[in-house]
Amino acid sequence: QSMGIEALDNTPRPVPGAGEESGGSLDAMMLDMKRTFDEVVESQASPEKAQQILNNPFYIAVSSSFAGTQEYMAMEKLGQLDKQARRSGEWDLIVVDTPPSRSALDFLDAPERLSSFLDGRFMRLLLAPARGGARFMTAGLGLVTGALTKIIGAQVLRDMQTFVSAFDTLFGGFRARAQRTFELLKADGTSFIVVAAPEPDALREAAYFVERLSGEQMPLAGLVVNRVSRLPEGVLSAEAALSGAQRLGDSSLTAGLLRLHADRVRIVERETRLRERFATSHPGVPTTAVPALSTDVHDLDGLRRIGELLAE
């Protein structure tokens, strides 16, 4: 909305008016998990095999709502965009914006989760008939499928087996691409920036991010503390302002302004303590602060103002 775009899809689209002064350009897109999964299938399988997978009810469920699919598809899309940028030189920089929660780092676990899923015992059992498993394996599969049929139904189990059999040839490519993108996240030229408001919960989340990134040896550029309160003009302390307000009485407009001044000063002091506490706990993390603006950012001029404040 701030970039003047009403809707985004899975394809990068030019942002009108961005980069006009410098002769540059800016594209934006919003990850479509299902569409990205479909694109991978279509690019890696023959048309007949791809259509078989895309029409499978189990695939439709997995590609739309399976736990972890969103994070893995984010890895897939990032790998696609990086490959496109290297081939065409279309972009100098790719920015990935993530949700403001601990789930934002789940994509770091995507390659490992994918490998665990593909190499799991259940997947091996489902693939055993297609791979010509040994007689004892087939017998074991019969016991498992018999139990599963009673629990989830024969049709669902057949859909799962058909999906896994059709998808078997693509598994290796999935794992390899996920690992390449994971290495890209650790490569020179990649930087992680953590953004947090000057609030206790937000800075605790920031501390979690920083520690997780350090543990994964990811290139952390620093922390941006956003919407920082500005100290009111003048040298009047909060205590002096409250003392003056008490002397003037509750009905005075000046007394109300003094109390407002005291509240602002105390907010700034509290935010400063929180930032200092974070800096003490994470002394090696560069930190910058962006002051809160008087209005919401709702256009490109507002975004440019944020950029100027970041650069100060």
Side-chain angles (χ1 to χ4, degrees):
Q1 291 172 335
S2 296
M3 293 185 291
I5 299 175
E6 293 184 2
L8 291 171
D9 57 18
N10 209 43
T11 301
R13 309 286 184 185
V15 177
E20 289 179 346
E21 302 87 349
S22 62
S25 64
L26 175 68
D27 293 348
M29 61 155 283
M30 178 77 74
L31 177 70
D32 184 329
M33 176 179 69
K34 175 72 164 60
R35 183 63 213 141
T36 300
F37 212 149
D38 291 351
E39 289 172 355
V40 172
V41 172
E42 291 165 352
S43 66
Q44 299 296 316
S46 66
E48 296 79 10
K49 180 74 73 173
Q51 200 58 50
Q52 181 185 1
I53 295 171
L54 295 175
N55 292 338
N56 184 278
F58 188 70
Y59 168 78
I60 294 172
V62 168
S63 61
S64 302
S65 58
F66 197 69
T69 305
Q70 178 82 14
E71 291 76 25
Y72 179 72
M73 286 304 120
M75 292 281 282
E76 274 283 348
K77 195 64 181 181
L78 178 57
Q80 291 174 12
L81 294 172
D82 177 67
K83 184 178 180 180
Q84 183 177 345
R86 293 175 186 274
R87 183 176 62 246
S88 66
E90 188 172 358
W91 303 299
D92 302 306
L93 179 68
I94 298 173
V95 179
V96 180
D97 185 27
T98 65
S101 67
R102 295 196 178 199
S103 63
L105 288 178
D106 285 349
F107 64 87
L108 296 180
D109 297 324
E112 182 60 33
R113 282 203 309 271
L114 180 71
S115 294
S116 298
F117 172 68
L118 300 182
D119 295 333
R121 182 180 300 175
F122 180 62
M123 294 294 287
R124 291 199 302 270
L125 284 171
L126 289 178
L127 283 169
R131 292 177 175 172
R135 185 179 303 173
F136 73 88
M137 187 71 172
T138 305
L141 179 63
L143 293 174
V144 173
T145 55
L148 285 173
T149 299
K150 294 179 182 179
I151 298 171
I152 64 176
Q155 184 59 49
V156 174
L157 183 60
R158 279 195 296 272
D159 290 339
M160 291 172 62
Q161 289 175 318
T162 301
F163 163 74
V164 170
S165 178
F167 220 62
D168 185 27
T169 56
L170 305 184
F171 283 164
F174 266 62
R175 184 186 290 108
R177 287 193 305 278
Q179 191 57 46
R180 283 198 299 270
T181 305
F182 185 76
E183 293 302 320
L184 171 65
L185 296 177
K186 302 173 71 172
D188 293 339
T190 298
S191 294
F192 284 80
I193 299 175
V194 179
V195 182
E199 299 293 336
D201 289 346
L203 286 174
R204 273 195 293 271
E205 288 291 290
Y208 170 82
F209 283 171
V210 166
E211 290 160 10
R212 175 70 194 280
L213 290 168
S214 299
E216 296 279 355
Q217 297 182 320
M218 295 294 182
L220 175 64
L223 169 72
V224 175
V225 185
N226 194 25
R227 299 177 183 265
V228 173
S229 300
R230 297 176 184 265
L231 190 66
E233 294 183 5
V235 295
L236 193 63
S237 68
E239 291 75 16
L242 286 176
S243 177
Q246 289 173 353
R247 288 195 300 270
L248 290 170
D250 292 338
S251 60
S252 167
L253 175 60
T254 304
L257 292 173
L258 286 169
R259 282 191 289 272
L260 180 60
H261 176 91
D263 288 342
R264 289 285 305 278
V265 170
R266 286 180 169 173
I267 288 172
V268 171
E269 290 174 347
R270 179 176 63 86
E271 291 179 1
T272 300
R273 287 194 299 271
L274 289 170
R275 290 164 55 192
E276 290 174 347
R277 189 182 307 163
F278 182 93
T280 300
S281 302
H282 306 88
V285 178
T287 302
T288 188
V290 176
L293 302 182
S294 58
T295 61
D296 287 335
V297 176
H298 58 272
D299 55 21
L300 288 177
D301 288 338
L303 291 175
R304 292 187 180 100
R305 178 60 182 149
I306 294 293
E308 293 168 358
L309 292 169
L310 272 170
E312 288 182 356

